[in-house]
DNA sequence: AAAGCGAGGGAAAGCGCTTTCCACTCACCG
DNA sequence: CGGTGAGTGGAAAGCGCTTTCCCTCGCTTT
């Protein structure tokens, strides 16, 4: 396999120059120049032989590559899709190749892929998606990250993972507060939360932001006003139904991501027959592309997902300093049709 | 960069064995066995030194790698998200790494990424997303594909690209027919189509399937009943509005993908004030995850997207034969709430 | 005019790994 | 008992490229 490839050696021969010269013409890193005549000959030969350089060989000789890894939970999730799109756009400008790995939400896989990327001698990896509160998994990940960096690679996170890592942080706490206050301003006093798995840091922060805001507003979140579901559409549906059965007095619910919110909307309508927003207001989180197309159009906390992907790639290019770098991205509350004022 | 890595040599030394033996223990391809005692020592040493193999070096020595490329139009598009998810799941089982490249719908980029993957000595590449009818671009792509295969790589397409390529074909024609007949069976006689860019093969086939079905039903599609828009939500909205302004007598419209259909639904409602499905029925194409969450829930032609991604990876693993391989995947019409019977 | 210099070219030493040979050790058999 | 061959271990030749070091050459300096 892959035996038939044309080598630089052959190009050099055909051009009547040395291997070194051919290398300098075709992949030269600037420091050395090659005379006009020879340069022309080499380029012509490469063209003619349809030479394609051998990236692994280059990576070996240079001890670095143009590959950057992107580890996400799920490629089909619009949240990660948006981040990935931003990252790939930025990567393209830097002529980097992006290698995406999906963990399907298994922390073990995350570790495995990080190792694999390390084996690839990827120049950097972006860890997108929330870290978990599982101390053991976090420690092993930290160890692997340290190893990766020791090998000279860069690691940047999108979303909180730990204080020593370069990260693009999105305003999860801030967004949670924004949503809670937005609901409050609409007159809502009995607000519930449909949360995701508590071990996800993102979820914790969002919930925490909402909780604090509500407390400072003088209406602390009751324990039975929070319910947990899977971070999927179905999880959102089930949890929302459970929440409103337990607390039928709630007039508004904050759902901690849009995909779950889509499920919640369906559950409230189809399973419970509750009108949104007349009977209960719903606010989502993320503002994924389809949020505006749900009916009622979903009010949600917008996170600059694509920008986060781009920021991550930019961060990658800066050498890591002594201080961990942080880029903070703000959230914004987008009120659409799933929220209404209440007299209650 | 990447200088600090532990090498196999060091592991061998620490274990007191030769490089060859260490290689056989750690990456051995089965043909040779190593004695119990030495094997144990090597494994212990690797563990202790935290050895991580150098994939580029392996790729160089073996002349093959574990990377497979996946070229899509847009990672944020749920259509590709689903295909990618299927592919990654299958790849994982085979311990392959998937490298995703997004072309953002520029044919030139597709070529560039294919070259780049070839340079990486990727074991295979999956070309997802429709080919184009542009003969020049297709020819240059074919040439690059031939080069890739000459180097020993495999190429598999998802969606029609050319008769000589191994491909996973989805029933685009069949699906178009299904949708048309479905609408017909609901009593619709004046049916329009919101199409995507005509140079996309997928679009052509879908349109062609609908056209044929309608013709055989005795109600050929009038030229002014077809309108073209961008393959995006906004493109769908604009085109649908244009179509129904030009042909207000239409009682049903087939939109050639779900993302566009979401836009069409919005346009018909907000711009034109036309009730769906009472005044006009809408059928989409693909059945992306959010289709059921649109209101009215979108009737659509379901394509087995994840299965297609998986099938592509499986196809990759089979050696390419003399005959190009084809895997055909069926479409299915899913009737939800955006379609209704009409009295005609 | 001798020395110094910068620029362009090539030889060759790796980069870290796989794999082909070759060497050696033991049964085991004729 | 030499011969045979299976089972193991190691030496070493690459894989295709980058890069250091050295050499030559044509000029400018003093």
């Amino acid at each position: 396999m892959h035996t038939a490839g044309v080598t630089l050696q052959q190009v050099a021969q055909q051009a009547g120059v040395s291997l070194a010269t051919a290398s300098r013409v075709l992949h030269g890193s600037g420091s050395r120049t090659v005379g006009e005549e020879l340069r022309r000959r080499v380029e012509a030969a490469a063209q003619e032989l349809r030479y394609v350089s051998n990236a692994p060989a280059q990576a070996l000789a240079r001890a670095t590559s143009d590959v950057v890894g992107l580890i996400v939970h799920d490629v089909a999730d619009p949240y990660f899709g948006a981040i990935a799109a931003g990252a790939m756009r930025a990567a393209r400008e830097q002529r980097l190749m992006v290698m995406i790995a999906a963990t399907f939400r298994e922390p073990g896989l995350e570790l495995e892929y990080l190792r694999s990327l390390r084996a690839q001698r990827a120049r950097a990896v972006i860890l997108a998606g929330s870290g978990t509160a599982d101390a053991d998994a976090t420690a092993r990940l930290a160890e692997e990250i340290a190893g990766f960096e020791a090998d000279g690679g860069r690691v940047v996170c999108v979303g909180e993972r730990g204080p020593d890592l370069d990260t693009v942080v999105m305003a999860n706490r801030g967004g949670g507060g924004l949503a809670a206050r937005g609901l409050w301003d609409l007159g809502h006093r009995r607000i519930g939360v449909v949360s995701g798995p508590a071990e996800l840091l993102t979820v914790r922060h969002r919930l925490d932001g909402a909780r604090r805001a509500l407390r400072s507003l003088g209406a602390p979140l009751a324990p039975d006003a929070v319910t947990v579901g899977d971070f999927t559409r179905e999880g959102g549906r089930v949890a929302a139904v459970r929440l409103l059965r337990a607390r039928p007095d709630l007039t508004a619910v904050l759902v901690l991501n849009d995909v779950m919110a889509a499920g919640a909307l369906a559950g409230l309508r189809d399973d419970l027959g509750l009108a949104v927003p007349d009977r209960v207001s719903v606010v989502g989180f993320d503002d994924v592309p389809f949020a505006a197309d749900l009916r009622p159009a979903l009010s949600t906390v917008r996170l600059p997902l694509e920008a986060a992907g781009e920021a991550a790639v930019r961060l990658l290019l800066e050498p890591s300093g002594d201080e961990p770098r942080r880029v903070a991205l703000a959230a914004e509350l987008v009120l659409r049709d799933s929220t209404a004022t209440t007299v209650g």
Side-chain angles (χ1 to χ4, degrees), chain A:
Chain A
M1 182 176 259
H2 279 315
T3 52
V6 175
T7 71
L8 229 206
Q9 182 63 261
Q10 294 173 39
V11 173
Q13 202 152 1
Q14 162 115 358
V17 302
S18 76
L19 182 55
T21 301
S23 171
R24 290 197 269 252
V25 171
L26 264 13
H27 316 291
S29 38
S31 60
R32 287 280 305 250
T33 58
V34 170
E36 189 51 41
E37 161 66 7
L38 293 198
R39 146 163 269 114
R40 240 192 3 74
R41 292 218 315 256
V42 171
E43 274 160 358
Q47 187 77 29
E48 188 173 338
L49 296 177
R50 307 195 167 294
Y51 171 70
V52 175
S53 65
N54 184 319
Q58 266 185 72
L60 179 58
R62 286 204 172 124
T64 183
S65 78
D66 286 340
V67 172
V68 347
L70 172 61
I71 301 184
V72 301
H73 289 344
D74 182 0
V75 258
D77 185 323
Y79 176 85
F80 293 110
I83 292 178
M88 304 199 78
R89 180 164 285 124
R92 161 164 165 56
E93 288 167 14
Q94 315 291 340
R95 327 209 95 253
L96 296 172
M97 291 289 291
V98 177
M99 208 146 151
I100 299 188
T103 65
F104 300 105
R105 306 188 193 280
E106 289 177 41
L109 265 186
E110 191 162 55
L111 216 64
E112 194 177 311
Y113 280 129
L114 189 50
R115 269 186 83 80
S116 184
L117 253 3
R118 187 176 167 191
Q120 296 290 334
R121 294 301 190 264
R123 174 188 291 210
V125 5
I126 301 173
L127 255 26
S130 180
T132 141
D134 175 341
D136 184 44
T138 306
R140 299 201 313 171
L141 191 65
E143 190 180 322
E144 196 61 41
I145 288 175
F148 192 91
E149 289 183 325
D151 281 6
R154 294 272 287 123
V155 175
V156 355
C157 306
V158 174
E160 195 58 65
R161 287 273 183 170
D164 326 323
L165 298 168
D166 291 353
T167 110
V168 176
V169 282
M170 284 187 279
N172 283 312
R173 278 207 177 75
L178 233 39
R181 265 188 297 277
L183 254 10
W184 181 273
D185 291 346
L186 289 172
H188 295 279
R189 292 302 175 264
R190 293 185 302 282
I191 299 173
V193 176
V194 170
S195 171
E199 63 273 17
L200 294 182
L201 255 28
T202 320
V203 167
R204 291 196 171 197
H205 293 165
R206 291 174 182 187
L207 181 55
D208 189 48
R211 201 188 289 281
R212 285 192 203 188
L214 255 15
R215 191 186 313 126
S216 82
L217 252 14
L221 204 52
D224 67 346
V226 180
T227 178
V228 170
D230 245 17
F231 230 35
T232 61
R233 177 184 188 281
E234 196 49 22
R237 192 183 63 72
V238 171
V241 168
R242 186 180 338 115
L243 178 64
L244 267 112
R245 271 210 237 275
R247 289 289 307 271
D249 61 309
L250 261 23
T251 64
V253 0
L254 167 59
V255 186
L256 294 186
N257 89 23
D258 282 353
V259 175
M260 293 184 83
L265 248 27
L268 296 181
R269 182 196 333 102
D270 301 337
D271 300 338
L272 259 26
L274 298 178
V276 175
D278 303 329
R279 168 64 180 75
V280 37
S281 286
V282 172
V283 176
F285 216 114
D286 291 342
D287 196 24
V288 300
F290 68 73
D293 277 316
L294 297 173
R295 285 308 119 175
L298 187 65
S299 295
T300 187
V301 176
R302 171 178 300 161
L303 252 28
L305 269 11
E306 286 218 18
E310 288 177 21
V313 172
R314 268 199 303 278
L315 218 45
L316 243 89
L317 297 173
E318 301 176 9
S320 72
D322 355 317
E323 285 299 294
R325 292 167 199 283
R326 318 218 122 213
V327 174
L329 263 20
E332 174 192 359
L333 181 62
V334 181
L335 256 21
R336 289 195 271 245
D337 307 331
S338 66
T339 43
T341 57
T342 180
V343 290

